[in-house]
Amino acid sequence: AIMQSGPLMVTGTSALNAGTGDITLDNAINNFVGAVSSTGANVSLTDGTGGLVLGATNTTGTLSVTSTGGAIAQATPYTSGNAITTGGAASFAATSGANTADITLANPDNSFGGTVALSGKDVSIVDKTALTLGAVTTTGNLNATGTGGVSFGATSVGGALSATSGNGAITQTGALTVIGTSALNAGTGDITLNDATNNFVGAVSSSGANVSLTDGTGGLVLGATSATGTLSVTSTGGAITQVTQNQSDAITAVGGATLTASNEIGRAHV
């Protein structure tokens, strides 16, 4: 194992290789100025000053990354040689003082083998395989991209949500709360976000095969909606409406549509 009994301050890059052992460098006042590359079983990294940049990161087990001094990002330019690959669950948390900070994990060669938990401001994550999210909390936007699917756990987004699944399904295992707009693109895959306690405050745009949306609070506003199969929209907390009456925000459902609201339905282009 690679461990510490006092804080680490490294001005240059850090290359940590524990082989089959763990890496546990979680002193709260560590300061890794340069990018940190790591290889091990379970890897835990903490940085207390100026944010944390990740280089090539490979774990056969879990990955835990915490920055209390700024953003978490990946080394650029993005290549397969500096991507993140995990065998188990991963968690990322970024703050700067009392405020949340950004998390940018946008290397297209990232591969997360387990669920990914995220806590930050504006958060962006890319997985070259299907992306499975655990608990996610952002005070800003969330941009989630997977190849072969995107699955949401309990998710709270303070800004806008964008999800792209690379022709896989967009699904959920926990409730979604999104304060801003939501843009969901499953390509030829299905979108199934039908948790009864979902709360989409902003308009929801969607594109997929069979699309199913449920909102439990305050009604549901639909943006541009395209389903090559069926469309099912349920609101148990108020009206179902559309953003505008413009053609670009129209609803297209090739296989038919079912709209169910506890209050009223306002629709112009179905």
Side-chain angles (χ1 to χ4, degrees), residues 76-132:
T76 56
Y78 296 144
T79 67
S80 59
N82 58 17
I84 297 171
T85 300
T86 67
S91 64
F92 301 86
T95 56
S96 179
N99 301 313
T100 54
D102 295 344
I103 300 173
T104 306
L105 307 173
N107 189 315
D109 287 303
N110 290 338
S111 179
F112 296 98
T115 60
V116 183
L118 301 160
S119 177
K121 185 183 178 183
D122 293 323
V123 175
S124 179
I125 183 169
V126 176
D127 192 333
K128 71 176 182 180
T129 62
L131 175 62
T132 302

Side-chain angles (χ1 to χ4, degrees), residues 24 39 92 94 97 107 114 145 154 202 206 209-211 224 226 228 236 244 248 258 270:
T24 307
T39 298
F92 301 86
N107 189 315
T145 301
S206 57
N210 301 298
V211 177
S226 176
T228 56
T236 60
T244 70
S248 61
T258 302
V270 179

Side-chain angles (χ1 to χ4, degrees), residues 177-242:
T177 297
V178 184
I179 302 302
T181 58
S182 297
L184 311 169
N185 188 344
T188 58
D190 293 341
I191 299 174
T192 308
L193 300 178
N194 53 13
D195 189 291
T197 58
N198 287 339
N199 183 13
F200 297 102
V201 178
V204 180
S205 299
S206 57
S207 178
N210 301 298
V211 177
S212 180
L213 304 171
T214 298
D215 188 288
T217 303
L220 182 57
V221 180
L222 298 176
T225 304
S226 176
T228 56
T230 60
L231 172 66
S232 174
V233 180
T234 302
S235 171
T236 60
I240 297 173
T241 58
Q242 285 182 276

Side-chain angles (χ1 to χ4, degrees), residues 1-2 16-23 38-43 58-62:
I2 297 176
L16 311 169
N17 189 341
T20 58
D22 293 342
I23 299 173
S38 58
T39 298
N42 302 298
V43 175
N58 296 279
T59 79
T60 55
T62 61

